[in-house]
C-alpha cells in the first residue's frame, strides 16, 4: 500500500484528486456571486425606493391635510414643523458626526469589548444631547416633558401612588372626570410612576426628566451590541456599533420617554440573549423577565416585543433552562401593579375607546398604513434601508431545513433573523391601526434593532456620512415635537 495516501483513500486515486474534482452541482454559489456583483446597485435602489416613499408621503400628506385637515401633523409624515434654525448644539453635533465617521469604524474593531460598550453609550449620549441642544436647553430638553400632554403635568396627582393607580382607569376616556392628558392616558402608568419617583428623590422638573430620557435612551445601542454579539458574532456587533451610535433616531430619543422605553426593551432582550446562551441563566433570566415585565407597563405596544423574544429563544443553546427564571421575573411588575389596583387589560380597552374618540379616530388608516413606514425610513436612515435589503437577501438563503435547527445557522443568518423579527413586530404595530402618526417616536424601540442590519454594509464611512447628514438636516430644518 502507498504510505503517502490516507488510509481511507481508494487505491489509484491521485493524492490531490479531491481538489481537482468539480464542485457538486448543487453547491455553486451563483446567487451569492450575482448578489455580490450587483449588491451596490441593489442597495442604492432600495434607498431610492425609500426616498420615493418619503417623498410620496410628504406630497400626499400635505394635500390631504390642506383639503381635509385629518392628519393633524404640520409637516407630513412627521409630527414636526418647518423651521430652519441653528442652536448651541450645532457645533457639538457636527463634531460628534465627524468624529464617528472618521474614527468610528476602526475604533469599533480595535477597542476591547467592554470599552466598546461604554464608548458606544457615551458617544450615543453625546450625539443625542448635541442634537437636542440644537433646539436649545428649554425647547430641546427641559420643556419637552412639561408640555400639555406630557407626564410631568400630572406629578401632583400621584402624591399617593397606590391611590392614583387604583383610580387610574377612571380618567382614561375623554369624557371621564379630569381625564388624563394624552400621553398619560395612552400608556400604562409605569412611565408616569418613573417620573414621579424621580421627583421624589429630588430630580424633579423637566430638565432632570429630559436628562433621564437621553442618558437612559442612549444605553440602547450598547444593549443591541451585546445581544448581537451573544446571538450572532462579535465581528458583526463591532461592524454595527458606529451605526447604532450615529442613528438619525437620536433626534427623537432626545428628549422623549420613548427613548427610555427603547432602552428598557433593548436591555430586556440583551439579558434574555445572555440567559439562553451564557453560564448564569438565573441572574440574567431574572433580569430579562423583570425588564420585559416593566416594558409592558411602559407602553402597551411594546407587548409586540414577544415577536423578538420568540426569535431569540431558538438561537440559544439553553432555551429551556432559564425559562423558569425569566417567567419569575416577568411576573413581578404585573403582580405589583395589579396588587396596587391597576388593571392592565381594562386600561387598554379604555385606551382604545379614548384613541378613537380623539384624532386617532380621524386620521385616515389608508394613508398612515404606508406613511408610517416613511417615518421609519427617516429614523433608521438610508444605511439601515440598504442593510435591511442585504438582511432579506441573507434570510432568503436560509432553507426551511436549516430553520429547524437555528443554532446551526451562520452568524449572518442569525443576525438576519433577529433584525427581521424586529421588522415583523413593527409591521404588526402598523397593521393594528393603533399607531397612526408620530411613529418616528413611538417606534424607537423597534428601530434600534433594525439598525443592527447595518453590519452587513461595506464602506461604512460612506454610509455613516449619509446617516449623519440626514440626522443633521432633520434636526436643523424641522422643529420636531410630540
Amino acid at each position: 500500500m502507498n504510505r503517502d495516501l490516507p488510509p481511507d483513500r481508494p487505491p489509484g486515486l491521485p493524492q490531490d484528486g479531491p481538489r481537482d474534482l468539480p464542485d457538486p452541482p448543487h453547491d455553486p454559489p451563483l446567487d451569492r456571486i450575482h448578489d455580490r456583483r450587483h449588491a451596490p446597485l441593489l442597495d442604492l435602489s432600495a434607498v431610492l425606493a425609500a426616498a420615493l416613499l418619503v417623498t410620496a408621503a410628504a406630497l400626499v400628506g400635505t394635500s390631504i391635510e390642506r383639503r381635509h385637515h385629518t392628519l393633524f401633523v404640520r409637516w407630513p409624515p412627521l409630527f414636526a414643523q418647518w423651521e430652519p434654525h441653528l442652536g448651541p448644539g450645532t457645533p457639538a453635533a457636527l463634531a460628534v458626526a465627524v468624529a464617528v465617521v472618521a474614527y468610528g469604524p476602526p475604533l469599533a474593531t480595535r477597542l476591547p469589548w467592554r470599552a466598546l460598550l461604554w464608548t458606544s453609550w457615551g458617544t450615543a449620549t453625546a450625539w443625542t444631547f448635541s442634537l437636542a441642544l440644537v433646539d436649545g436647553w428649554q425647547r430641546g430638553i427641559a420643556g419637552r416633558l412639561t408640555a400639555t400632554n406630557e407626564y410631568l403635568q400630572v406629578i401632583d396627582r400621584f402624591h399617593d401612588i397606590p391611590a392614583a393607580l387604583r383610580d387610574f382607569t377612571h380618567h382614561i376616556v375623554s369624557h371621564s372626570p379630569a381625564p388624563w392628558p394624552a400621553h398619560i392616558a395612552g400608556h400604562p402608568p409605569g412611565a408616569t410612576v418613573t417620573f414621579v419617583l424621580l421627583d421624589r428623590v429630588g430630580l424633579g422638573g423637566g430638565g432632570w426628566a429630559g436628562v433621564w430620557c437621553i442618558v437612559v435612551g442612549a444605553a440602547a445601542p450598547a444593549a443591541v451590541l451585546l445581544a448581537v454579539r451573544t446571538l450572532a458574532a462579535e465581528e458583526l456587533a463591532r461592524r454595527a456599533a458606529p451605526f447604532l451610535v450615529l442613528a438619525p433616531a437620536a433626534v427623537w430619543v432626545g428628549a422623549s420617554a420613548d427613548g427610555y422605553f427603547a432602552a428598557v426593551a433593548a436591555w430586556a432582550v440583551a439579558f434574555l440573549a445572555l440567559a439562553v446562551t451564557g453560564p448564569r441563566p438565573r441572574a440574567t433570566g431574572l433580569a430579562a423577565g423583570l425588564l420585559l415585565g416593566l416594558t409592558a407597563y411602559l407602553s402597551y405596544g411594546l407587548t409586540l416585543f414577544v415577536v423578538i423574544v420568540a426569535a431569540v429563544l431558538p438561537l440559544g443553546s439553553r432555551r429551556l433552562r432559564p425559562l423558569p427564571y425569566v417567567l419569575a421575573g416577568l411576573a413581578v411588575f404585573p403582580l405589583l401593579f395589579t396588587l396596587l389596583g391597576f388593571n392592565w387589560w381594562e386600561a387598554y380597552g379604555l385606551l382604545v375607546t379614548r384613541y378613537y374618540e380623539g384624532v386617532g379616530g380621524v386620521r385616515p388608516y389608508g394613508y398612515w398604513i404606508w406613511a408610517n413606514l416613511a417615518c421609519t425610513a427617516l429614523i433608521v436612515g438610508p444605511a439601515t434601508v440598504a442593510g435591511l435589503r442585504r438582511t432579506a437577501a441573507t434570510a432568503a438563503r436560509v432553507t426551511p431545513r436549516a430553520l429547524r435547527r437555528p443554532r446551526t445557522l451562520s452568524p449572518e443568518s442569525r443576525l438576519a433573523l433577529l433584525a427581521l423579527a424586529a421588522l415583523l413586530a413593527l409591521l404588526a404595530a402598523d397593521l393594528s391601526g393603533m399607531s397612526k402618526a408620530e411613529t418616528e417616536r413611538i417606534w424607537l424601540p423597534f428601530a434600534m434593532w433594525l439598525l443592527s442590519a447595518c453590519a452587513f454594509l461595506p464602506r461604512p464611512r460612506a454610509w455613516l456620512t449619509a446617516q449623519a447628514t440626514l440626522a443633521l438636516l432633520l434636526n436643523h430644518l424641522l422643529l420636531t415635537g410630540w
Side-chain angles (χ1 to χ4, degrees):
M1 179 181 289
N2 188 341
R3 298 179 182 268
D4 295 330
L5 292 176
D8 59 346
R9 186 179 301 278
L13 185 66
Q15 187 171 351
D16 58 350
R19 297 193 195 106
D20 296 331
L21 293 175
D23 292 330
H26 65 277
D27 196 39
L30 296 180
D31 57 334
R32 299 189 183 187
I33 295 173
H34 181 273
D35 185 64
R36 282 197 299 266
R37 187 176 299 166
H38 295 87
L41 180 59
L42 294 173
D43 293 341
L44 293 176
S45 299
V47 172
L48 177 59
L52 291 174
L53 177 66
V54 172
T55 302
L59 295 176
V60 174
T62 300
S63 176
I64 293 174
E65 185 62 14
R66 284 178 179 174
R67 293 182 180 183
H68 307 291
H69 308 287
T70 56
L71 298 188
F72 298 95
V73 293
R74 296 185 181 181
W75 203 85
L78 299 178
F79 193 91
Q81 63 189 54
W82 179 261
E83 189 175 318
H85 61 288
L86 300 174
T90 299
L94 289 170
V96 173
V98 170
V100 174
V101 171
Y103 302 107
L107 277 177
T109 62
R110 296 171 188 168
L111 283 174
W113 176 250
R114 290 188 180 181
L116 177 62
L117 294 181
W118 286 106
T119 303
S120 297
W121 186 8
T123 309
T125 301
W127 176 238
T128 308
F129 261 118
S130 62
L131 289 173
L133 288 172
V134 170
D135 297 335
W137 169 257
Q138 183 60 35
R139 191 165 67 168
I141 297 177
R144 291 288 191 181
L145 295 165
T146 61
T148 303
N149 290 318
E150 285 289 355
Y151 301 96
L152 298 191
Q153 289 290 323
V154 301
I155 295 294
D156 58 340
R157 293 173 63 176
F158 276 74
H159 60 277
D160 184 340
I161 294 177
L165 292 177
R166 287 193 299 271
D167 197 43
F168 192 88
T169 56
H170 298 152
H171 305 283
I172 294 177
V173 180
S174 296
H175 57 265
S176 60
W180 298 119
H183 285 190
I184 292 84
H187 295 82
T192 308
V193 170
T194 298
F195 296 111
V196 170
L197 294 177
L198 284 175
D199 184 77
R200 296 280 177 89
V201 300
L203 302 179
W208 282 115
V211 169
W212 167 268
C213 290
I214 290 174
V215 173
V216 175
V224 177
L225 291 179
L226 184 58
V228 171
R229 182 204 191 208
T230 304
L231 297 173
E234 183 172 323
E235 180 186 357
L236 291 171
R238 290 179 178 275
R239 289 179 61 85
F243 294 95
L244 284 157
V245 165
L246 205 64
V251 173
W252 289 272
V253 172
S256 76
D258 293 87
Y260 159 46
F261 304 163
V264 174
W267 279 102
V269 175
F271 279 119
L272 181 63
L274 291 173
V276 298
T277 59
R280 300 187 184 93
R282 294 182 183 180
T284 52
L286 281 171
L290 278 170
L291 292 179
L292 285 170
L294 176 58
T295 298
Y297 281 79
L298 293 174
S299 173
Y300 296 105
L302 294 188
T303 53
L304 287 171
F305 258 69
V306 68
V307 178
I308 302 176
V309 168
V312 169
L313 290 176
L315 295 177
S317 58
R318 305 183 178 190
R319 289 175 287 178
L320 299 179
R321 185 177 176 187
L323 280 184
Y325 310 108
V326 174
L327 294 174
L330 183 62
V332 171
F333 280 105
L335 184 62
L336 176 62
F337 276 96
T338 301
L339 290 176
L340 290 175
F342 173 73
N343 187 320
W344 192 97
W345 290 104
E346 179 188 5
Y348 179 71
L350 292 169
L351 165 64
V352 174
T353 301
R354 167 75 178 259
Y355 183 78
Y356 285 101
E357 285 178 342
V359 298
V362 180
R363 284 171 169 160
Y365 182 85
Y367 170 76
W368 288 110
I369 190 70
W370 58 274
N372 283 337
L373 302 180
C375 295
T376 303
L378 288 171
I379 64 174
V380 301
T384 307
V385 172
L388 287 173
R389 201 283 308 168
R390 289 176 178 252
T391 298
T394 300
R397 290 192 289 265
V398 178
T399 64
R401 182 178 180 181
L403 279 176
R404 298 192 193 103
R405 301 178 62 192
R407 285 178 290 170
T408 64
L409 294 174
S410 68
E412 292 79 8
S413 297
R414 292 180 174 208
L415 176 57
L417 292 179
L418 186 63
L420 291 179
L423 181 60
L424 180 60
L426 184 147
L427 293 175
D430 192 26
L431 292 171
S432 74
M434 291 295 291
S435 297
K436 289 183 285 191
E438 303 179 58
T439 50
E440 65 271 17
R441 167 184 58 83
I442 299 169
W443 289 353
L444 285 173
F446 305 114
M448 295 298 170
W449 296 93
L450 299 183
L451 291 163
S452 65
C454 296
F456 292 114
L457 295 175
R459 303 181 184 86
R461 285 194 176 100
W463 288 111
L464 284 168
T465 301
Q467 296 286 90
T469 301
L470 176 61
L472 292 168
L473 287 174
L474 287 170
N475 214 89
H476 286 84
L477 296 178
L478 301 175
L479 180 63
T480 57
W482 34 86

